[in-house]
Amino acid sequence: MNDYEMLRVIEFLDKTRRPFGDVIGGFDEDPGWKIVVFLIKAHIHSQTVAISTLGQESGLPYATSMRLINRMVDSGYILKVPKGPGAKTFSLQPSEKLLQSFQAYAGKTKSLLAQTLGLRGGEQEEDYYFGGTPLGSQIIPPMRLVQKRVESHIELRFLLNDDNYFSSMRNMWADFRNNLASKKNFDLLPLPDLYRRILDNRNKPVSDYDVLAINMPWLGEFAEKDIIRPFDALIQKTGINPLDFHPSIWSTARWDGQDYGVPGYCTIEILAARRDLFADAGLDFPRKFEDVLAAGRHFHAPQHGMYGAVWDGARGMPIASSFMFFLGACGQPTISLRKSRAGFTLEGVNLEELHCTIQSDAALSALDFMRRLIEISPPGILNMAWDKTLDVFMKGKASLGYFWTMRAARFEYDVQSVVKRRVEYLPQPSGPGGTRASPIGGFLFCIPSNLPEARVELAADAIAWMASREAMKAHVKNGFPIAPRFSVSADPEAAASSPIVRFVDQLAKKNLLHTWQRPNIPQYSAIERILGEEVHDALSGAKSDRTALADAADRINRELKTSGKRRTGPAS
């Protein structure tokens, strides 16, 4: 449950309690409830609470309120936190015990509401999202989509990535007010499983799904293997406006001169820095590799449970992505893309002539940087990625971290985060001879090629709504800084909801968002698999850096030669 949902539950409960006092007077309101709610809301908003303020909030006489507060302190529900080293004054905050207990109470409350207000039988009430969309903004699906679904009696089926964004999207569809689908119509899988399920689905006579969410770098492979169908003819019918998307992001859905889908959300790989720690130490934020290492060494104190940096180092996809991003920061792609004013491009490239370029000084510099990062990372960083590294930073145990913005959004909205409003979001620091270009990731909504024609138009309408300005704005307000549309990132309400929205929009305006670090060629998944093995072997000591790079280059070149199909790269 994120902060917005928690606040909506509190707001709802407050509103249901108010009529009792209005209608039946003469009774004292529950002072314990007032104290708990005030503390929880202050915690979410990162506000300090003095004991006198909390006493006044209870509505009790001073002496009585102090006895109640002290009983709650003794019971472990409230913590007294000194306002500074050696300070005699203190502030109050909810303990972990109180936070967990209130979360459980809020969860039971929304489950009861879900049962009362239309949750379909057999579904898990605790998965219901209270309020559908936050801050009172109800997203109404277009009548054309509602009417067509009713007339056709079609139950749409979705295959999505298992992350918070798609969970929220599923909740929006299954919300009792929209009633467009049941949660059983959504399969959410981790990335490796999602990739395999999409390949398996293509081998079936009829697709199990109407809409697929594919990782952006998979586009070339899935288009060439006829797993997804071109979307061009459906764009005008659905009213999707490509010009409202950042060009670099819309281009992720194009292959061989055709559109194969619509960007569902974008996420940017960035460096997150603890603003408070850097301010206290009088340090500037990192702009280069050496700055990252110097700052990380300054804060690295493993004996106190504090680490200089976290990043994705686990074998396979995580470490492969990290290597490609650090190599990009050194100004080089993994394969021989054509250099352009914007960086590198596949346009006009003969795919049969592509070759691996990682036997280079830039690749050695990237590996050297990763090896030095290990020295200031938590133990076992080569087995850590994604949620594990995020958890370390979110608990305040790291000064720096490389993250996707979609995951970093939890720093500001997760109830368990201790770093909210203390994080500075930075472009990727540059390596030797490189730039600060930030890699783009995310997912595309696509239609399977083996979906019956009778279902295609309805699937396209579903995608149009899922990627609409209104739906994206609702998700941004729900704590998911997607904003691939100009109209969303320019919306004052959306921009004010998250510092990441403004930050990503600034990167786009400075032309610092790029996709070439992970080119969407048909061999991308094979390249990622090879790098995930060879780079990990180098950093774990199984191979020397030069041997690992040579072995990786040899294996990648074989893949490029044996699995190439089209002779020219994708037109823009």
Side-chain angles (χ1 to χ4, degrees), residues 523-536:
Q523 302 89 349
Y524 173 78
S525 294
I527 292 173
E528 184 181 68
R529 184 186 70 253
I530 292 166
L531 290 175
E533 295 167 359
E534 299 292 349
V535 171
H536 196 274

Side-chain angles (χ1 to χ4, degrees), residues 115-170:
Q115 295 174 38
T116 304
L117 299 176
L119 189 76
R120 297 167 179 80
E123 296 189 14
Q124 297 298 311
E125 293 90 352
E126 61 267 24
D127 289 338
Y128 174 75
Y129 183 82
F130 179 66
T133 52
L135 306 182
S137 59
Q138 180 174 339
I139 302 302
I140 306 298
M143 285 307 300
R144 164 181 158 133
L145 177 59
V146 176
Q147 184 177 358
K148 284 173 64 175
R149 180 183 176 276
V150 172
E151 291 174 350
S152 63
H153 302 290
I154 290 177
E155 286 283 334
L156 291 168
R157 291 272 297 157
F158 301 85
L159 179 59
L160 310 173
N161 183 49
D162 186 11
D163 64 22
N164 289 342
Y165 178 77
F166 287 126
S167 294
S168 175
M169 177 170 288
R170 175 191 60 188

Side-chain angles (χ1 to χ4, degrees), residues 63 79 89 100 140 171 193 202 229 238 280 373 389 417 503:
L79 298 178
T89 58
Q100 291 181 357
I140 306 298
N171 294 334
D193 297 334
R202 179 63 183 94
R229 64 170 63 212
T238 57
D280 291 344
L373 271 181
T389 54
S417 173
F503 168 71

Side-chain angles (χ1 to χ4, degrees), residues 499-510:
I500 298 178
V501 173
R502 299 188 297 274
F503 168 71
V504 172
D505 193 47
Q506 291 168 2
L507 291 181
K509 290 175 180 176
K510 295 176 182 178

Side-chain angles (χ1 to χ4, degrees), residues 246-301:
H246 292 291
S248 56
I249 294 169
W250 184 264
S251 69
T252 62
R254 291 184 64 79
W255 179 258
D256 198 35
Q258 289 184 290
D259 294 311
Y260 277 86
V262 178
Y265 77 67
C266 70
T267 181
I268 314 302
E269 177 80 3
I270 60 164
L271 180 68
R274 283 283 302 278
R275 186 189 309 117
D276 54 334
L277 298 182
F278 275 79
D280 291 344
L283 295 177
D284 294 330
F285 293 122
R287 299 178 59 87
K288 298 180 179 180
F289 280 1
E290 292 300 327
D291 301 336
V292 173
L293 296 169
R297 284 193 292 268
H298 178 86
F299 295 111
H300 190 61

Side-chain angles (χ1 to χ4, degrees), residues 511-563:
N511 197 31
L512 288 177
L513 301 182
H514 297 281
T515 60
W516 54 263
Q517 295 92 337
R518 299 190 305 165
N520 61 0
I521 61 174
Q523 302 89 349
Y524 173 78
S525 294
I527 292 173
E528 184 181 68
R529 184 186 70 253
I530 292 166
L531 290 175
E533 295 167 359
E534 299 292 349
V535 171
H536 196 274
D537 283 349
L539 294 179
S540 62
K543 293 183 180 181
S544 70
D545 289 357
R546 292 185 184 276
T547 299
L549 292 175
D551 289 349
D554 182 61
R555 294 173 62 188
I556 290 171
N557 282 328
R558 288 202 301 270
E559 286 286 342
L560 292 170
K561 288 179 181 178
T562 58
S563 57

